[in-house]
Amino acid sequence: MIGPGVHWGSAIAKIVGANAAKYNTFENTVNMWVFEEMVNGRKLTEIINTEHENVKYLPGHKLPRNVVAVPDLLDAVKGADILIFVIPHQFVSRVCDTIKGYIKTDAVGMSLIKGVDEGPDGLKLISDVIREKLGITMTVLMGANLANEVADEKFCETTIGCKSKAHGPLLKELMQTQNFRVTVVKEADVVEICGALKNIVAVGAGFCDGLDFGDNTKAAVIRLGLMEMIAFARIFCTASLVSPATFLESCGVADLITTCYGGRNRKIGEAFARTGKSIEELEKELLNGQKLQGPATAAEVHQILKHKHLVEKFPLFNAVYQICFQGHPVKEFITCLQNHPEHM
């Protein structure tokens, strides 16, 4: 596993470790690359490997003993058949450059990273960045999966986007548990786009909470945000890959709903509206040093839409961008809802 220093990565490590020990299909030991840092005078990797708990990012949850925290990235990936990427998307290129040439050529990658990149030709998915840099087959996992609830083993669903019929069942076996139900779909690009765009909508939902607009308004944000997600996918994915059914999977409407009610992006959006503090200040105060994906994705999506002269066709995405980065008053967010087109 690459980068489970954050709470989502550790929650996934708990599942992967348990399944690796349970099924003969997999090697028992799961290497988990953790960016080394000191916690109460001790190395974080040492704490994880002796106490089997990520005390900084997922306190109170024991990791399986076969999950081994490794501080050196090259040591962590050596000999791996499956590479699971769980890092902030701004670090993807640097990590790939480091491990290029040190991994198996037939390894399969799985990205749990919710973001997009702006490439020279517009949209670039994170899985595409990894695939191009490393030359390996890539898949994605996205869903309504708040990390603490997954770690608590509360029932939820998730979606694996995998174009290969051979890899889908293997990855499902690695990830599925009684309380973490996996569906595999072929439309990997749509699955990944949903995972990125829902964070923009969640920031808008947070604005609604901070402005005390109520649940009816938030429901409108979710519906209009979903419309923009579908419209964006239809423009930037191959038309044959954009099935409406994919948006009804966990990666689509379910992830959108849970993020708009319980995620970090909603939390920061509310605090932004209530306090007037910057996104950077709120990240430091409320996220224990972790970076927020919603505003960053809004900025990247804005550049992509601007490049194609489509900004005005996505009023909700644009409003989140303008409020976060261009000083537009947060109270004006309601305008993008009032003037949103009925059909897209």
Side-chain angles (χ1 to χ4, degrees):
M1 295 193 63
I2 298 177
V6 295
H7 63 316
W8 178 218
S10 294
I12 286 295
K14 185 176 176 183
I15 289 173
V16 171
N19 281 346
K22 180 178 179 181
Y23 298 114
N24 293 329
T25 313
F26 308 104
E27 290 285 339
N28 185 65
T29 300
V30 176
N31 283 347
M32 177 173 84
W33 176 57
V34 175
F35 184 79
E36 191 69 278
E37 55 186 307
M38 302 301 290
V39 178
N40 298 324
R42 296 174 64 193
K43 293 179 179 179
L44 180 56
T45 53
E46 177 193 326
I47 296 171
I48 292 172
N49 289 335
T50 55
E51 298 175 18
H52 307 290
E53 181 182 344
N54 190 335
V55 294
K56 180 168 183 179
Y57 295 111
L58 197 69
H61 295 278
K62 290 296 182 182
L63 297 173
R65 290 179 174 271
N66 61 321
V67 173
V68 178
V70 180
D72 184 274
L73 178 55
L74 295 182
D75 287 343
V77 302
K78 186 177 180 181
D81 295 300
I82 299 174
L83 298 168
I84 302 174
F85 294 82
V86 201
I87 50 178
H89 76 271
Q90 54 266 40
F91 300 133
V92 169
S93 290
R94 191 188 317 168
V95 165
C96 288
D97 288 340
T98 301
I99 67 175
K100 186 176 182 179
Y102 292 90
I103 60 172
K104 297 174 75 169
T105 56
D106 60 348
V108 177
M110 176 184 284
S111 173
L112 279 63
I113 303 165
K114 294 181 176 178
V116 292
D117 257 5
E118 180 204 353
D121 300 316
L123 176 75
K124 193 158 196 149
L125 299 174
I126 300 301
S127 63
D128 288 337
V129 174
I130 299 171
R131 183 186 299 110
E132 290 176 11
K133 283 188 170 289
L134 300 181
I136 62 174
T137 298
M138 284 299 300
T139 63
V140 297
L141 182 147
M142 307 280 160
N145 309 141
L146 296 178
N148 287 331
E149 294 184 14
V150 173
D152 285 335
E153 300 181 24
K154 295 178 179 177
F155 178 81
C156 67
E157 299 176 308
T158 199
T159 310
I160 290 178
C162 177
K163 297 172 185 176
S164 164
K165 289 183 179 179
H167 294 134
L170 175 71
L171 296 172
K172 181 171 182 173
E173 184 177 35
L174 179 63
M175 304 306 301
Q176 182 159 271
T177 70
Q178 186 175 0
N179 289 314
F180 193 69
R181 186 163 66 190
V182 175
T183 301
V184 180
V185 301
K186 290 182 180 179
E187 298 84 5
D189 290 357
V190 178
V191 171
E192 189 168 359
I193 280 179
C194 284
L197 298 183
K198 58 91 183 183
N199 283 329
I200 305 176
V201 185
V203 174
F207 292 161
C208 286
D209 290 340
L211 296 166
D212 295 316
F213 283 162
D215 284 338
N216 291 341
T217 308
K218 193 192 283 193
V221 169
I222 292 171
R223 188 187 76 83
L224 296 172
L226 181 61
M227 285 175 60
E228 292 195 13
M229 288 167 60
I230 295 170
F232 189 96
R234 285 177 173 160
I235 291 169
F236 292 98
C237 291
T238 305
S240 61
L241 291 177
V242 184
S243 165
T246 305
F247 294 93
L248 298 178
E249 296 291 348
S250 184
C251 62
V253 66
D255 196 9
L256 179 61
I257 291 169
T258 195
T259 310
C260 286
Y261 277 91
R264 291 179 294 163
N265 290 280
R266 187 221 62 82
K267 180 180 180 180
I268 296 294
E270 179 181 7
F272 182 91
R274 291 194 189 280
T275 67
K277 294 180 179 179
S278 70
I279 296 293
E280 292 78 11
E281 287 177 291
L282 294 169
E283 284 176 336
K284 291 176 183 176
E285 288 180 20
L286 301 177
L287 295 185
N288 199 18
Q290 297 179 75
K291 300 299 289 182
L292 198 66
Q293 297 302 327
T297 304
E300 284 151 357
V301 164
H302 177 79
Q303 290 303 316
I304 292 164
L305 292 173
K306 185 178 178 182
H307 180 70
K308 289 190 174 286
H309 308 290
L310 292 171
V311 170
E312 300 306 317
K313 292 187 177 296
F314 293 84
L316 193 152
F317 289 172
N318 189 40
V320 171
Y321 168 75
Q322 290 180 327
I323 291 166
C324 287
F325 296 106
Q326 294 193 321
H328 283 225
V330 68
K331 65 179 184 294
E332 289 185 6
F333 182 66
I334 191 70
T335 306
C336 84
L337 307 179
Q338 295 167 331
N339 298 329
H340 204 284
E342 290 184 22
H343 303 285
M344 294 190 72

